């Protein structure tokens, strides 16, 4: 069964600190992996996409990594801000899936304290 | 910023009522989706559409129905709401491109509570 597992389930850090969120998947054949940010009461917004050939990609203070061999991805947040408090969702798509069928993780709930 | 809108944002109704959750997008996207999201759980696909007059059921069984008469509009209807339908419903769309799903643009969600 294709699955996406995220850890930790929740995380509390102080403003200005760095953190790393993990995503392990068993989806095969792999096509791409996206990280979404979901603010409380809002819909998810895409942060970055990782394809099979990409190892690292940055979007401002967010840096995503992908190890396709071990089927692991991470999202590193540098110099956290209060506005980073949100749920971060890992979404993996496979090359054989019907359009629109994606595999979602349960998300990591990040809280940044002042 | 994505141009996809959901109404109502919040709805509290009694058991047995009929409800329609509205979703509209102004991006001209051909593909639209409805997801159900409960606290601490992953999003579950309940309906999707490739274009006008095309609708399919998703991975999660749902008693709701959808229609796609216009490209920009993808409403979801529950004929007789029950407390088990209490959840957050997220509408999303994606544009033309390769066969595998591209970036999803989500609405802000409709939080339904059935008493």
């Amino acid at each position: 069964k294709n699955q996406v597992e995220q850890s930790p389930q929740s995380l509390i850090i102080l403003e200005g600190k760095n953190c790393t969120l993990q995503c392990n998947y068993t989806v095969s054949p792999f096509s791409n992996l996206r990280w979404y940010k979901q603010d409380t009461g809002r819909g998810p917004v895409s942060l970055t996409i990782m394809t099979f050939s990409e190892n690292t990609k940055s979007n401002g203070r967010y840096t995503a990594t992908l190890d396709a061999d071990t089927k692991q991805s991470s999202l590193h947040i540098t110099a956290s801000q209060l506005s980073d408090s949100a749920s971060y969702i890992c979404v993996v798509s496979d090359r054989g899936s019907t359009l629109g069928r994606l595999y979602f993780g349960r998300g990591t709930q990040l809280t940044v304290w002042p | 910023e994505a141009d996809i809108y959901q109404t109502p944002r919040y709805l509290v109704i009694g058991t047995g009522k009929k409800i329609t959750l509205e979703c509209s997008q102004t991006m001209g996207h051909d593909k639209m989706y409805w997801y159900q999201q409960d606290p601490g759980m992953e999003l579950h696909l309940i309906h999707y559409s490739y274009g006008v007059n095309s609708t399919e059921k998703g991975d999660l069984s749902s008693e709701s129905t959808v229609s796609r008469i216009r490209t920009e509009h993808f409403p979801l209807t529950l004929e007789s709401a029950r407390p088990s339908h209490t959840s957050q419903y997220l509408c999303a769309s994606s544009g033309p491109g390769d066969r595998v799903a591209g970036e999803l643009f989500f609405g802000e969600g409709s939080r339904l509570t059935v008493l």
Side-chain angles (χ1 to χ4, degrees):
Chain A
K1 179 182 176 182
N2 287 323
Q3 286 188 326
V4 177
E5 299 287 344
Q6 292 188 242
S7 61
Q9 182 177 344
S10 62
L11 180 63
I12 300 174
I13 61 173
L14 294 176
E15 187 178 14
K17 298 297 186 182
N18 304 335
C19 67
T20 300
L21 314 180
Q22 299 289 346
C23 174
N24 297 339
Y25 62 92
T26 59
V27 176
S28 181
F30 174 84
S31 177
N32 64 62
L33 181 151
R34 287 184 184 271
W35 284 93
Y36 285 82
K37 178 187 179 188
Q38 184 176 21
D39 292 317
T40 301
R42 309 290 292 271
V45 175
S46 178
L47 290 175
T48 185
I49 178 173
M50 305 293 291
T51 58
F52 187 86
S53 59
E54 295 175 310
N55 298 118
T56 304
K57 184 178 287 186
S58 292
N59 177 6
R61 294 181 297 101
Y62 300 102
T63 299
T65 66
L66 175 68
D67 186 333
D69 292 330
T70 61
K71 299 186 176 181
Q72 296 179 326
S73 177
S74 66
L75 181 68
H76 185 75
I77 304 175
T78 303
S80 61
Q81 300 176 357
L82 299 180
S83 59
D84 292 331
S85 294
S87 178
Y88 292 83
I89 302 171
C90 176
V91 184
V92 181
S93 64
D94 72 51
R95 284 186 279 114
S97 68
T98 303
L99 191 63
R101 295 181 188 268
L102 303 171
Y103 300 91
F104 289 78
R106 295 185 176 187
T108 291
Q109 183 64 49
L110 174 66
T111 303
V112 181
W113 284 1
Chain B
E1 189 153 324
D3 296 315
I4 180 165
Y5 308 99
Q6 290 186 240
T7 58
R9 289 290 313 278
Y10 304 92
L11 181 62
V12 181
I13 61 169
T15 297
K17 299 294 185 182
K18 176 180 179 179
I19 65 110
T20 296
L21 304 181
E22 302 287 350
C23 177
S24 295
Q25 50 96 5
T26 59
M27 296 172 283
H29 286 171
D30 53 346
K31 294 172 278 293
M32 296 189 73
Y33 318 84
W34 276 102
Y35 287 90
Q36 189 171 333
Q37 183 181 35
D38 294 310
M41 302 296 290
E42 63 267 43
L43 276 71
H44 288 289
L45 180 69
I46 52 176
H47 297 284
Y48 61 99
S49 168
Y50 293 154
V52 172
N53 294 325
S54 157
T55 61
E56 300 286 345
K57 288 188 179 296
D59 304 313
L60 182 67
S61 175
S62 175
E63 294 165 348
S64 58
T65 59
V66 292
S67 63
R68 190 87 183 275
I69 299 173
R70 304 197 313 268
T71 299
E72 63 272 21
H73 196 213
F74 192 41
L76 180 147
T77 298
L78 271 169
E79 291 293 333
S80 181
R82 295 205 302 270
S84 60
H85 296 138
T86 295
S87 188
Q88 164 101 319
Y89 294 85
L90 288 165
C91 180
S93 70
S94 63
D98 59 12
R99 177 175 173 271
V100 181
E103 179 178 358
L104 293 176
F105 295 89
F106 285 90
E108 300 209 328
S110 293
R111 179 161 294 283
L112 173 65
T113 301
V114 184
L115 303 177

